[in-house]
Amino acid sequence: MSSIPGVEPQTDKEGFLRNIADWSETVARQLAQQSDIELERAHLELLLAARTYYELYGQAPLARSFVRYLQQSTPEFSSMSLMHLFPPSSTAGSSIKQICRMAGLPKPPGCL
């Protein structure tokens, strides 16, 4: 399915987009609502950074490598920063899993 206004993009049973090209800020906000997260600027910046990471490395980021990637431009960034913005939960999963889902990326390797 392509991005058509007013049409919900297709997701798998865990809420990951079936087609990465269907992603938009609006879709990200819809996916965030499912995890009870209201996306603010800091959230969106992380989602865009995750998408850039994916373009650079060809895979969804793992938490540690993503934090190191972010520290290149923001040295004080930490895994606690990820958890503060995207709190892990039993229903939504780890911080990095939520970030990848909301960024329209595939599920990170090793995430259950």
Side-chain angles (χ1 to χ4, degrees):
M1 169 176 126
S2 61
S3 293
I4 301 171
V7 176
E8 297 273 333
Q10 293 181 353
T11 59
D12 66 13
K13 64 182 179 176
E14 294 183 81
F16 287 87
L17 290 181
R18 294 195 184 274
N19 182 352
I20 192 171
D22 287 341
W23 188 85
S24 68
E25 186 178 320
T26 301
V27 169
R29 290 185 186 287
Q30 292 169 350
L31 295 171
Q33 283 180 334
Q34 295 170 5
S35 297
D36 293 324
I37 294 176
E38 186 175 333
L39 293 184
E40 296 176 4
R41 183 178 178 159
H43 295 95
L44 289 169
E45 287 175 359
L46 283 181
L47 299 182
L48 292 171
R51 291 180 65 82
T52 300
Y53 182 102
Y54 183 80
E55 290 173 14
L56 287 172
Y57 301 108
Q59 69 178 29
L62 296 171
R64 286 184 184 171
S65 61
F66 189 50
V67 168
R68 282 192 302 271
Y69 171 77
L70 294 168
Q71 287 173 337
Q72 293 174 10
S73 61
T74 311
E76 66 276 2
F77 197 87
S78 70
S79 59
M80 294 304 289
S81 305
L82 286 182
M83 290 191 289
H84 174 74
L85 290 167
F86 296 92
S89 76
S90 59
T91 55
S94 67
S95 299
I96 198 67
K97 186 175 181 181
Q98 292 180 63
I99 290 167
C100 289
R101 182 174 41 249
M102 291 175 211
L105 302 176
K107 184 164 60 169
C111 277
L112 301 175

